[in-house]
Amino acid sequence: MTNLAFLLPLLALGGQAAAAVAGPRSVVETLHLDNGLNKGEWGPIAICSPNTYVFAFEIKYSGLGYVDDTSVNAIKLYCQTSEGSLTDLITSSEGTYGQWRGMRPCGAGEFLTGVRGNVVPDMGPLGDDLGVDNLQMRCSGGEVLDGLHGTPQKIGQSSVVAREITEVGGREMEAVHLKIPRAGEQTAHARDYGDWGTWQACSVGNKICGLQVRLQNNHPLEDDAGVTDVNMFCCS
């Protein structure tokens, strides 16, 4: 329901939100991943329309099992006005492989203000580079959104859903109801292939308004890594 509610305004725009973003616009800060790889070429800079900011993101992800594995192959940002009107879908360079994993939106009235990347280190001449394996972004209200898993379970978060006292065979017993993660569901112990960098955040009052990705792609005789680095831009 959440994704559909956000996509209905896009359909009303007749697909115009996927077109190139109008500019120019002043960027006041650039957020750099502190663990990006020095591989590939930087793609074009994409910026939201004036007076709009990013409230959701989505990654294009390719799993393992190929001759040349990659992970994140593209990042898409969703821009809207302060009133909640969807205006733009913006991307930088896009790799060949993978599927879009679904929009990760902030709550109503919130925008994205922070980012960090899960990056697999350079595997050397005999290894298979994966580059950026996942991306997390933080909303202005503090919620963390995960590109692969949606909203990650916090470390130490209890799996207890409810407790109740019931009577069994004349004896009072405490029943504890637990939420058991399904196969493949993110838990506090699940991890990605790489290592998480530190959070990079816009200054107070600024919000993310654009991106640029570095991509290693489409080299048939070489080891490609997909997205290897990301810049996010903040506007006031």
Side-chain angles (χ1 to χ4, degrees):
M1 289 296 294
T2 302
N3 285 1
L4 179 59
F6 281 121
L7 289 178
L8 285 176
L10 173 60
L11 296 177
L13 291 173
Q16 294 179 10
V21 178
R25 185 175 185 187
S26 177
V27 171
V28 297
E29 295 176 285
T30 302
L31 308 181
H32 307 278
L33 296 188
D34 64 349
N35 56 347
L37 301 182
N38 185 25
K39 290 177 175 290
E41 295 77 41
W42 284 103
I45 293 173
I47 303 292
C48 296
S49 297
N51 301 315
T52 68
Y53 304 92
V54 177
F55 74 100
F57 79 105
E58 184 174 2
I59 64 171
K60 184 181 181 182
Y61 187 84
S62 176
L64 301 183
Y66 300 92
V67 174
D68 184 7
D69 290 322
T70 57
S71 292
V72 175
N73 269 250
I75 301 166
K76 183 186 299 179
L77 302 183
Y78 295 73
C79 312
Q80 70 176 11
T81 65
S82 298
E83 293 75 30
S85 297
L86 179 66
T87 57
D88 310 299
L89 274 61
I90 60 175
T91 60
S92 182
S93 295
E94 180 176 341
T96 306
Y97 307 104
Q99 295 79 41
W100 291 101
R101 296 299 293 257
M103 180 175 64
R104 312 302 187 195
C106 293
E110 295 185 10
F111 295 95
L112 292 172
T113 58
V115 63
R116 69 170 181 166
N118 185 288
V119 181
V120 179
D122 191 323
M123 302 302 290
L126 300 180
D128 188 359
D129 291 320
L130 296 177
V132 177
D133 186 58
N134 195 3
L135 198 73
Q136 289 184 344
M137 301 193 73
R138 180 175 286 152
C139 301
S140 49
E143 182 181 16
V144 172
L145 306 175
D146 189 287
L148 279 178
H149 310 294
T151 303
Q153 181 178 344
K154 296 180 176 62
I155 300 298
Q157 179 178 336
S158 175
S159 297
V160 175
V161 176
R163 296 175 182 267
E164 65 175 336
I165 303 298
T166 185
E167 188 172 301
V168 179
R171 300 174 57 191
E172 281 193 347
M173 307 285 289
E174 182 181 31
V176 180
H177 301 275
L178 301 177
K179 178 183 177 182
I180 306 299
R182 297 185 297 272
E185 185 177 353
Q186 171 76 345
T187 70
H189 302 290
R191 59 158 294 151
D192 300 280
Y193 295 114
D195 298 308
W196 287 105
T198 57
W199 281 102
Q200 311 298 316
C202 302
S203 299
V204 175
N206 297 332
K207 300 170 279 287
I208 290 175
C209 60
L211 83 164
Q212 181 185 32
V213 304
R214 191 172 191 172
L215 181 70
Q216 190 179 45
N217 182 65
N218 202 24
H219 299 93
L221 301 180
E222 300 177 16
D223 176 25
D224 286 328
V227 173
T228 59
D229 203 355
V230 182
N231 289 330
M232 293 283 175
F233 303 108
C234 304
C235 294
S236 58

